[in-house]
Amino acid sequence: MASNPQELVPMGNESIDTIMSRRSVRKFTGEKVPEEDIKTILKAAMAAPSAVNVQPWSFIVVQDEELLGELANRLPHAKMLAGAGTGIIVLGHPEKDDTYAREYWVQDCSAASMNILLAAKALGYGTVWTGVYPDGSKVDTVREVLNIPDDIIPLNVIPIGFPAEEGRPRDKFNEGNISWDMY
Ligand SMILES: Cc1cc2nc3c(=O)[nH]c(=O)nc-3n(C[C@H](O)[C@H](O)[C@H](O)COP(=O)(O)O)c2cc1C
């Protein structure tokens, strides 16, 4: 038994343990994630489910220190980008579809984002999802800094790198959040 009730006991399944032990990381060594691992992480992102399989996403990988610094300076809740070495921006493409499915771009891109966090964790990297959409001024900032066209929407910015802090796995399970059969 864990001595701290908030601490998790490994469940004996690698995938579940990755999910349960992921925590947001906001301090990094600054060393850049190698391209091969970025590709693996983005393959995981693009393996996500999406409504009608539209896959309304694309990704910008930023490793240029000046750009990371500018984003960090201008996005008040993403300061940690400056020391992360790498940032991944998940972009929504509602224009990729002209049916009802386009309305699902946030869910689709969120599923891809979650795969990024988990694949990175599985490879030993730290990440933190920093929100951009639906904050109009953050959307404008990211578009301006990275030259993103108006019909493409940055959902988030994900600093990713070698962790310089280890968040302790937390048990957030709450039986009260579950109903069976009826609400
Ligand atoms: C939509 C969304 C937006 C978030 N925005 C920020 C942010 O701007 N800056 C930040 O430091 N963390 C941000 N987070 C991370 C949350 O603060 C974090 O996931 C939460 O506190 C739970 O901690 P954990 O990820 O360690 O389990 C965001 C998370 C989500 C899902």
Side-chain angles (χ1 to χ4, degrees):
M1 271 290 277
S3 54
N4 176 348
Q6 283 283 294
E7 214 171 293
L8 279 178
V9 185
M11 295 190 171
N13 174 288
E14 231 177 292
S15 303
I16 303 279
D17 287 343
T18 298
I19 292 169
M20 300 304 283
S21 61
R22 181 213 57 82
R23 290 293 313 277
S24 293
V25 171
R26 297 182 177 85
K27 287 200 180 104
F28 303 91
T29 65
E31 196 183 333
K32 292 187 192 311
V33 179
E35 185 174 333
E36 193 190 335
D37 286 347
I38 301 266
K39 289 253 176 75
T40 302
I41 290 164
L42 291 179
K43 268 190 190 171
M46 293 183 227
S50 62
V52 199
N53 197 24
V54 167
Q55 303 170 43
W57 48 55
S58 69
F59 308 87
I60 304 179
V61 180
V62 180
Q63 293 195 315
D64 179 280
E65 292 299 338
E66 242 176 72
L67 288 174
L68 290 171
E70 190 175 352
L71 286 170
N73 280 337
R74 294 179 58 181
L75 295 170
H77 304 108
K79 300 281 170 224
M80 62 300 261
L81 253 185
T86 303
I88 294 178
I89 292 83
V90 178
L91 300 175
H93 287 253
E95 90 291 351
K96 276 192 183 170
D97 188 71
D98 56 7
T99 72
Y100 74 96
R102 64 186 284 132
E103 305 294 335
Y104 287 87
W105 75 266
V106 173
Q107 291 94 318
D108 299 337
C109 289
S110 296
S113 301
M114 198 60 231
N115 279 7
I116 289 175
L117 305 195
L118 293 175
K121 171 73 185 173
L123 294 177
Y125 300 110
T127 58
V128 53
W129 176 323
T130 71
V132 176
Y133 180 85
D135 182 318
S137 91
K138 290 180 179 173
V139 168
D140 288 346
T141 296
V142 176
R143 277 203 183 117
E144 197 179 306
V145 175
L146 300 177
N147 200 24
I148 299 164
D150 283 349
D151 55 347
I152 294 169
I153 308 167
L155 177 69
N156 56 34
V157 174
I158 303 176
I160 169 168
F162 292 78
E165 64 175 3
E166 202 59 68
R168 194 178 244 194
R170 262 194 319 206
D171 190 350
K172 300 192 235 174
F173 182 70
N174 179 354
E175 190 89 45
N177 289 336
I178 306 171
S179 303
W180 296 81
D181 293 333
M182 295 275 268
Y183 187 80

